[in-house]
Amino acid sequence: MLTLAFSMVAYIRAFFGPRHQLALEAAALRQQLVVLKRNQTHLRLHRLDRFFWTVLRRVYSGWAEALIIVKPETVVSWHRAGFRLFWRWRSRQLRPGRPKVSGEIRQLIGRMKAENPTWGAPRIHGELLQLGFTIAEPTVSRYLQQLKRRPDEGKA
């Protein structure tokens, strides 16, 4: 008798409630049936099942009442873990370290030093800025030091 009363209340609620809420509840229950019908010894949820519940949590306000196979706290933890994973992926460094200086600028620094042996890094840096290249003076100094260490490849 009690189940009949609950069924009647559920029917009246579904009859007067918005249709999209009913459709979302039906989708939630069907998804759980699919999980339970899998031929497995114990309940095992796949990534798509977890993704379904995290999305449903954001879309459907009655998701916790429709949930039977796992605890609502579990779905909340999946959602938080996905959120952390998303922001870790979003804030990753694509290219760590300094940006590379083009080969054209490195050749130009070498040529300026070869043609003007008395020039140091500040003077070469100023000339590069006047030519429209944006490079820091310590970077020019570092490339000049590399030129000193390497023997000239063009001379025999």
Side-chain angles (χ1 to χ4, degrees), residues 31-50 53 69-70 74 78:
Q31 193 273 341
Q32 292 179 85
L33 278 176
V34 167
V35 170
L36 291 172
K37 284 184 178 180
R38 291 184 189 143
N39 291 331
Q40 296 175 345
T41 56
H42 63 281
L43 183 68
R44 187 172 279 177
L45 294 172
H46 298 154
R47 287 183 184 176
L48 284 176
D49 301 327
R50 294 176 181 176
W53 280 105
I69 58 176
V70 292
T74 307
W78 293 339

Side-chain angles (χ1 to χ4, degrees), residues 47-112:
R47 287 183 184 176
L48 284 176
D49 301 327
R50 294 176 181 176
F51 180 72
F52 173 82
W53 280 105
T54 55
V55 170
L56 192 68
R57 177 178 181 256
R58 299 287 294 164
V59 177
Y60 177 43
S61 61
W63 67 274
E65 289 87 31
L67 187 60
I68 297 169
I69 58 176
V70 292
K71 294 179 183 176
E73 296 84 26
T74 307
V75 176
V76 172
S77 70
W78 293 339
H79 192 199
R80 288 180 180 159
F83 194 75
R84 282 192 304 269
L85 183 67
F86 170 76
W87 282 108
R88 189 179 311 126
W89 170 79
R90 184 89 162 100
S91 61
R92 73 191 188 284
Q93 288 184 348
L94 297 178
R95 290 185 172 211
R98 296 181 182 200
K100 299 289 182 191
V101 176
S102 70
E104 174 190 11
I105 294 176
R106 287 190 303 243
Q107 288 177 352
L108 190 56
I109 290 171
R111 203 171 104 213
M112 283 182 175

Side-chain angles (χ1 to χ4, degrees), residues 98-146:
R98 296 181 182 200
K100 299 289 182 191
V101 176
S102 70
E104 174 190 11
I105 294 176
R106 287 190 303 243
Q107 288 177 352
L108 190 56
I109 290 171
R111 203 171 104 213
M112 283 182 175
K113 185 63 179 175
E115 291 175 0
N116 306 296
T118 59
W119 285 7
R123 179 72 187 261
I124 294 175
H125 174 250
E127 293 295 324
L128 288 172
L129 289 178
Q130 287 181 353
L131 291 173
F133 296 106
T134 54
I135 188 170
E137 185 179 327
T139 305
V140 174
S141 176
R142 192 173 63 247
Y143 282 112
L144 287 175
Q145 289 173 0
Q146 287 178 4

